[in-house]
């Protein structure tokens, strides 16, 4: 969702801010703005719409001189996207400028309190309350840092905030609670941003800010404070990503690049966890004694990460013999779940910032469960809050629709399942070694699915089906879980109405929607259920459906008797088949979206990191 960036140093700030904001576009936004401190005064420029509107308005930053500034991409929550509602916001007196990512929950109360004291408001946003609160205290006693601190104490909700003060031309103050914020160290210049890609071009040395912390900096000096206002020493960390990881690198879209990065992402995630034929998790404590006492495993997540959880239920329950449930984080937290210290709660999240998932994690901890997070973004709130964290090493995922994060989350599920089953003694030696072998071979198998012939076939089928209005994804067992993700991809990037159903469930209702030409994507990779799937295909074909079947290479001939349109994947250990079968579905959604002229990397209304409930 919203992204913030701040720069203090010797260069012109505006072009650096605009460039940083461009790297945060992936988070999702509908307007953007910057505020730069010139020699005499602060200048604010903001614009509804894409960043390029702001670039045009500022001549790529040239018309906003000054070497200290803050910038923002806004995803509307309070008030429609408009120039007035865009950030940065100035306090009524003009002494303070602010950018904000998050939600101020007690905004209405604070607004009335300020209005009673004669403060005027010029937008519908919750953020303007922050600008006015800080402005109110600053205008009274002239101590900017104290004014920020006092205002922060009154805020309820989540925030990453960046402030400028009209009277302090070199200074930026930033603070965070429940929204991500990193500080970047440069040479004679310093940065603050919502995420690493925004500043990666300038520095790889960062500090991850903790909830309640505040940073005060100019181009040369930086001071960090904790929530009590006491100075803190922050650890400097080196970001290991290359700048190229956050660039398109010759691909038309990040989504396509990330689909093709899956073999590498799988290798980076799996290899460090396989040593001498064993699955190892350094720093993770899941002893046999503990696991034997686990009554139930809850997998809790949102969106695609939830669909990984749905798949994980099949995988973990069968291998570990522990009852396992997948729950949507937004439902879990308000469902009064039956969870206590006998339960293991596994949280899955790419960003590590998803508001519902974070809240569910906190609820699970409050109820006494042991919590384990599977997260991609290092240092994120979920990674820090969970008792234990296993990172997926997918690298930065920029496209809004997840692909490589999904695949690596699934890879961690396989690793974790093998690890737990080994501890529990529920997996025999031979099966365990077959799993380890399959994990080792998975990146190469994914590479095979991405061979040019397969990609061309998907492209051809996408060009054939892109004009359809509805699609149904059907499958059985793990294929039914893959259908959920394939169908979501099509909805998200191609704006095509699509539903996923377990194939056996179709005739209990939704088959009434199948008519002449309806697209049905039928997954038939679960060998023991292949004949049943062929029967389901016959059922929908009899009602006029146009069927695209995804099946194993060895079953292609048989499947061709039922349908002409077939995509194949190589055979691997059956339980690992989903890691491969998702790839053609990702490609299919991507190419259908291209044919429909959609903005693939930034689908309408969607945000990469969903930091509001
Ligand atoms: C879909 C997608 C979303 C996310 C969901 C959770 O392509 O990306 O459904 O999976 O918003 O996000 P994280 O994993 O960051 O918690």
């Amino acid at each position: 969702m919203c992204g913030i960036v701040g720069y203090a140093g010797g260069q012109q700030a505006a072009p650096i801010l605009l460039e940083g904001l461009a790297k945060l576009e992936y988070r999702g936004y509908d307007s953007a703005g910057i505020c730069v401190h010139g020699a005499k005064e602060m200048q604010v420029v903001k614009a509804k719409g894409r960043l390029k509107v702001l670039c045009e308005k500022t001549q790529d930053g040239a018309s906003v001189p000054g070497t200290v500034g803050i910038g923002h991409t806004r995803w509307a929550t309070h008030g429609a996207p408009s120039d007035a509602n865009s950030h940065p916001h100035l306090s009524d007196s003009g002494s303070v400028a602010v950018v904000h990512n998050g939600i101020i929950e007690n905004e209405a109360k604070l607004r009335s309190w300020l209005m009673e004291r004669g403060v005027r408001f010029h937008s519908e946003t919750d953020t303007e309350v922050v600008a006015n609160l800080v402005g109110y205290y600053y205008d009274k006693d002239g101590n900017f840092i104290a004014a920020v601190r006092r205002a922060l104490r009154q805020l309820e909700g989540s925030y990453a905030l960046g402030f400028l003060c009209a009277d302090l031309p070199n200074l930026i103050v930033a603070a965070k609670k429940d929204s991500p914020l990193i500080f970047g160290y440069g040479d004679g210049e310093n940065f603050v941003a919502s995420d690493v890609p925004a500043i990666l071009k300038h520095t790889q040395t960062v500090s991850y800010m903790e909830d309640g912390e505040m940073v005060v900096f100019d181009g040369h000096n930086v001071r960090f404070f904790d929530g009590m206002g006491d100075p803190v020493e922050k650890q400097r960390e080196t970001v290991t990503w290359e700048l190229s990881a956050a660039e398109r690198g010759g691909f038309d879209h990040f989504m396509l690049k990330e689909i093709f990065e899956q073999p590498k992402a799988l290798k980076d995630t799996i290899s460090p966890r396989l040593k001498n034929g064993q699955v190892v998790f350094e720093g993770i404590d899941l002893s046999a004694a503990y696991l034997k006492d686990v009554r139930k495993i809850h997998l809790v997540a949102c969106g695609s990460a939830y669909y990984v959880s749905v798949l994980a239920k099949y995988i973990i329950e069968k291998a570990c013999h522990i009852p396992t449930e997948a729950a949507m984080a937004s439902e879990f937290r308000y469902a009064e779940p039956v969870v206590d210290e006998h339960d293991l709660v596994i949280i899955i999240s790419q960003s590590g910032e998803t508001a519902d998932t974070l809240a569910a994690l906190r609820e699970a901890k409050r109820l006494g469960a042991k919590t384990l997070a599977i997260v991609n973004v290092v240092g994120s709130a979920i990674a820090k809050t969970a008792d234990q964290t296993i990172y997926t090493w997918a690298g930065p995922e920029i496209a809004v629709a997840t692909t490589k994060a999904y695949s690596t989350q699934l890879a961690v599920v396989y690793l974790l399942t093998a690890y737990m089953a080994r501890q529990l003694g529920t997996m025999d030696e031979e099966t365990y070694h077959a799993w380890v072998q399959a994990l080792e071979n998975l990146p190469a198998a994914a590479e095979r699915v991405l061979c040019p012939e397969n990609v061309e076939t998907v492209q051809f089928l996408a060009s054939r089906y892109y004009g359809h209005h509805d699609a149904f994804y059907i499958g059985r067992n793990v294929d039914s879980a893959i259908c959920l993700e394939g169908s979501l991809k099509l909805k998200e990037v191609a704006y095509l109405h699509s539903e996923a159903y377990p194939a056996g469930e179709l005739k209990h209702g939704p088959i009434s929607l199948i008519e002449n030409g309806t697209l049905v994507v039928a997954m038939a990779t679960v060998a023991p259920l292949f004949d049943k799937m062929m029967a389901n295909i016959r059922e929908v074909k009899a009602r006029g459906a146009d069927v695209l079947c995804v099946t194993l290479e060895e079953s292609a001939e048989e499947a061709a008797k039922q349908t002409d349109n077939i995509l194949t994947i190589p055979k691997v250990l059956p339980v690992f088949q989903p890691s491969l079968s998702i790839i053609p579905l990702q490609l299919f959604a991507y190419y259908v979206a291209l044919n429909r002229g959609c903005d693939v990397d930034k689908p309408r209304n969607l945000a990469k990191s969903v930091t509001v409930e």
Side-chain angles (χ1 to χ4, degrees), residues 436-450:
V436 170
Q437 192 65 55
L439 278 160
E440 247 162 25
N441 296 342
L442 206 53
E447 191 88 59
R448 286 221 305 282
V449 180
L450 287 163

Side-chain angles (χ1 to χ4, degrees), residues 302-305 349-351 354 400-402 409 488-489 492 610:
C302 295
S304 295
S349 174
Q350 185 285 130
S351 63
T354 305
V400 166
T402 183
Q409 286 164 354
L488 180 68
K489 289 279 91 73
E492 282 181 300
V610 184

Side-chain angles (χ1 to χ4, degrees), residues 212-223:
E213 284 181 349
M214 181 167 116
V215 61
V216 179
F217 68 98
D218 59 22
H220 299 281
N221 305 297
V222 52
R223 286 175 295 155

Side-chain angles (χ1 to χ4, degrees), residues 167-412:
D167 303 322
L168 302 167
N170 299 321
L171 202 76
I172 297 182
V173 176
K176 91 150 221 132
K177 178 177 164 267
D178 287 344
S179 286
L181 192 66
I182 52 157
F183 182 83
Y185 303 84
D187 187 7
E189 54 187 7
N190 287 310
F191 307 81
V192 73
S194 300
D195 199 2
V196 173
I199 58 171
L200 199 53
K201 184 174 168 194
H202 306 280
T203 181
Q204 285 181 287
T205 311
V206 302
S207 287
Y208 295 95
M209 293 193 53
E210 305 279 342
D211 281 351
E213 284 181 349
M214 181 167 116
V215 61
V216 179
F217 68 98
D218 59 22
H220 299 281
N221 305 297
V222 52
R223 286 175 295 155
F224 294 96
F225 301 93
D226 65 15
M228 305 305 288
D230 294 325
V232 279
E233 281 294 316
K234 293 290 293 176
Q235 203 180 328
R236 293 186 186 215
E237 305 197 27
T238 305
V239 176
T240 49
W241 305 343
E242 295 300 323
L243 182 59
S244 60
E247 306 274 339
R248 280 212 308 271
F251 285 88
D252 288 341
H253 295 95
F254 278 108
M255 183 176 174
L256 190 62
K257 178 183 178 232
E258 288 161 6
I259 290 173
F260 275 90
E261 279 174 348
Q262 288 179 109
K264 178 177 183 310
L266 285 169
K267 190 164 192 287
D268 291 349
T269 301
I270 295 169
S271 301
R273 277 82 185 230
L274 294 183
K275 292 206 175 110
N276 306 322
Q278 306 286 329
V279 178
V280 288
F281 281 115
E282 265 151 34
I284 295 294
D285 173 27
L286 290 173
S287 67
Y290 164 74
L291 287 169
K292 284 189 174 130
D293 265 356
V294 170
R295 186 185 52 188
K296 190 167 177 183
I297 295 176
H298 305 257
L299 297 140
V300 186
C302 295
S304 295
Y306 165 68
Y307 294 151
V308 170
S309 309
V310 174
L311 198 42
K313 174 187 159 67
Y314 287 97
I315 299 166
I316 296 175
E317 220 163 39
K318 191 166 172 195
C320 300
H321 306 174
I322 299 178
T324 302
E325 288 306 331
M328 285 176 191
S330 54
E331 291 298 316
F332 176 87
R333 57 180 300 207
Y334 297 117
E336 297 180 26
V338 183
V339 171
D340 62 23
E341 68 274 18
H342 302 294
D343 295 1
L344 171 63
V345 173
I346 301 178
I347 297 282
I348 307 183
S349 174
Q350 185 285 130
S351 63
E353 303 292 342
T354 305
D356 283 317
T357 312
L358 181 58
L361 165 60
R362 288 184 173 143
E363 178 64 3
K365 285 186 81 165
R366 192 187 68 77
L367 293 168
K370 190 176 182 108
T371 57
L372 172 72
I374 300 174
V375 176
N376 194 43
V377 177
V378 174
S380 55
I382 290 173
K384 285 186 172 156
T385 307
D387 297 330
Q388 311 192 59
T389 296
I390 300 175
Y391 283 110
T392 48
W393 297 119
E397 191 178 64
I398 308 291
V400 166
T402 183
T403 52
K404 62 176 180 171
Y406 173 93
S407 293
T408 52
Q409 286 164 354
L410 184 54
V412 170

Side-chain angles (χ1 to χ4, degrees), residues 64-88:
V64 196
T67 60
V68 176
I70 50 179
H72 189 263
T73 45
R74 172 174 189 254
W75 193 86
T77 53
H78 291 63
S82 69
D83 288 3
N85 287 336
S86 306
H87 303 207

Side-chain angles (χ1 to χ4, degrees), residues 313-567:
K313 174 187 159 67
Y314 287 97
I315 299 166
I316 296 175
E317 220 163 39
K318 191 166 172 195
C320 300
H321 306 174
I322 299 178
T324 302
E325 288 306 331
M328 285 176 191
S330 54
E331 291 298 316
F332 176 87
R333 57 180 300 207
Y334 297 117
E336 297 180 26
V338 183
V339 171
D340 62 23
E341 68 274 18
H342 302 294
D343 295 1
L344 171 63
V345 173
I346 301 178
I347 297 282
I348 307 183
S349 174
Q350 185 285 130
S351 63
E353 303 292 342
T354 305
D356 283 317
T357 312
L358 181 58
L361 165 60
R362 288 184 173 143
E363 178 64 3
K365 285 186 81 165
R366 192 187 68 77
L367 293 168
K370 190 176 182 108
T371 57
L372 172 72
I374 300 174
V375 176
N376 194 43
V377 177
V378 174
S380 55
I382 290 173
K384 285 186 172 156
T385 307
D387 297 330
Q388 311 192 59
T389 296
I390 300 175
Y391 283 110
T392 48
W393 297 119
E397 191 178 64
I398 308 291
V400 166
T402 183
T403 52
K404 62 176 180 171
Y406 173 93
S407 293
T408 52
Q409 286 164 354
L410 184 54
V412 170
V413 166
Y414 288 124
L415 286 161
L416 188 61
T417 305
Y419 179 86
M420 293 194 299
R422 179 75 154 180
Q423 299 277 64
L424 287 160
T426 50
M427 191 180 269
D428 63 48
E429 197 72 7
E430 198 184 329
T431 312
Y432 180 76
H433 290 301
W435 273 56
V436 170
Q437 192 65 55
L439 278 160
E440 247 162 25
N441 296 342
L442 206 53
E447 191 88 59
R448 286 221 305 282
V449 180
L450 287 163
C451 69
E453 306 85 79
N454 280 354
V455 177
E456 268 165 37
T457 312
V458 178
Q459 254 174 310
F460 167 74
L461 291 170
S463 71
R464 186 166 167 194
Y465 288 121
Y466 77 93
H468 280 56
H469 297 293
D470 303 289
F472 288 83
Y473 285 68
I474 59 170
R476 287 170 176 266
N477 195 261
V478 290
D479 274 348
S480 73
I482 281 298
C483 286
L484 294 166
E485 175 61 5
S487 168
L488 180 68
K489 289 279 91 73
L490 197 69
K491 288 188 191 87
E492 282 181 300
V493 297
Y495 312 150
L496 204 149
H497 168 247
S498 147
E499 302 204 27
Y501 259 91
E505 192 62 17
L506 205 64
K507 51 182 154 308
H508 298 289
I511 202 164
S512 63
L513 296 169
I514 306 289
E515 52 188 28
N516 255 350
T518 304
L519 171 59
V520 173
V521 179
M523 306 298 295
T525 77
V526 182
L529 297 172
F530 181 82
D531 291 342
K532 291 239 178 305
M533 269 312 295
M534 292 304 116
N536 292 132
I537 290 177
R538 279 194 295 275
E539 283 163 11
V540 291
K541 276 196 77 90
R543 274 115 192 134
D546 202 340
V547 177
L548 192 179
C549 177
V550 179
T551 191
L552 304 181
E553 282 159 359
E554 61 180 28
S555 314
E557 207 180 312
E558 200 51 38
K561 293 180 186 157
Q562 308 301 334
T563 172
D564 299 333
N565 304 309
I566 291 176
L567 289 169

